[in-house]
Amino acid sequence: MAKRAYSPKEVISKTYKTLPWGEKWSGPFGFVPTNEIWFISGASASGKSSFVMQLAKELANYGLVLYGSYEEGISQSFKDRINLFKMKEVQGRFRVVTDDTYNELIERLAKPKSPRFVIVDSFQVAGWTYEQAKSLIARFPSKSFIFISQEYKGQPMGKAAVRLRYIAGMKVRVVGYKAFCQGRFTGDPGSYYTVWEEGIIRTSNNVAGHEPEKRNDDG
């Protein structure tokens, strides 16, 4: 049986629910569909982990967030980040798992009132294949999956991550405590989300002779 083909009129008539966030987020990222796929990458100590936690807190305003902390677990640095960004303020809409298998995650997401936003940190440590990630996305089309990726020489680490980046509508790269949107919903071209303002200053040429302050952020 042949698959359906859409006319231009049908495509134009389709509507999508988007995140109703303010200018702080819509400026650099635009108005993103609530079920979009995110791919976030960045070198170690770039501010990536802090950005992901800030994003998680913002998304908690719109639904339950599940943070798969596969890479860090519940470590001291993770705990410090929870405190730093006051995640207790979204206590009822934010949950953390550390060792769900792929099948266990599917079982969790299939339950009523399951998380709307799923963060996988990191894709490499989770150990999934590209096919598994794509299957998960197809199985839960109303959910948003946010994949966090390690980098090697400025590129996503591993072929599976490179392929996954291609299908993500929201591609974000964190560099020097700035989160740049490289996806389909870019708001103001050239703009970025400020992860840590003091970190940007300390890592720029504006403050000569200062070493960047060490922060509890390994990503």
Side-chain angles (χ1 to χ4, degrees), residues 27-218:
F29 303 121
F31 291 97
V32 185
T34 56
N35 64 338
E36 191 51 74
I37 309 307
W38 292 65
F39 186 93
I40 302 172
S41 61
S44 178
S46 64
K48 181 174 81 256
S49 296
S50 287
F51 170 71
V52 173
M53 193 64 75
Q54 291 175 62
L55 175 63
K57 187 174 184 181
E58 177 66 22
L59 293 177
N61 291 319
Y62 317 113
L64 180 60
V65 176
L66 182 69
Y67 196 121
S69 184
Y70 294 100
E71 187 168 319
E72 282 190 280
I74 305 296
S75 62
Q76 182 65 51
S77 61
F78 190 85
K79 175 185 172 182
D80 289 345
R81 215 169 295 122
I82 289 285
N83 285 326
L84 177 64
F85 297 111
K86 301 178 181 178
M87 298 304 288
K88 287 179 70 175
E89 294 178 353
V90 292
Q91 174 79 15
R93 303 183 301 279
F94 180 77
R95 292 290 182 270
V96 180
V97 296
T98 61
D99 55 4
D100 272 16
T101 65
Y102 180 79
N103 289 331
E104 286 170 341
L105 179 61
I106 288 176
E107 185 178 345
R108 187 187 296 275
L109 297 181
K111 293 178 180 179
K113 298 181 180 179
S114 63
R116 187 174 188 179
F117 304 98
V118 183
I119 298 171
V120 180
D121 187 5
S122 63
F123 176 66
Q124 286 80 5
V125 176
W128 302 348
T129 64
Y130 167 78
E131 287 74 19
Q132 283 178 311
K134 194 173 180 182
S135 176
L136 192 68
I137 293 166
R139 183 162 184 164
F140 301 103
S142 64
K143 299 185 185 298
S144 181
F145 290 91
I146 299 104
F147 296 99
I148 317 306
S149 176
Q150 298 174 352
E151 283 191 351
Y152 178 69
K153 294 184 178 180
Q155 297 297 322
M157 187 182 295
K159 292 181 179 179
V162 172
R163 293 180 69 189
L164 185 58
R165 185 181 185 278
Y166 273 105
I167 66 171
M170 280 300 298
K171 301 172 179 66
V172 178
R173 185 155 189 261
V174 184
V175 182
Y177 304 104
K178 300 176 182 178
F180 295 91
C181 179
Q182 301 172 325
R184 303 167 187 151
F185 301 97
T186 307
D188 178 15
S191 68
Y192 56 83
Y193 178 90
T194 299
V195 179
W196 184 35
E197 189 169 354
E198 186 177 345
I200 294 174
I201 295 171
R202 287 175 177 268
T203 54
S204 72
N205 292 327
N206 294 333
V207 183
H210 283 268
E211 290 295 326
E213 180 179 305
K214 187 172 177 59
R215 198 168 188 233
N216 288 318
D217 185 348
D218 72 335

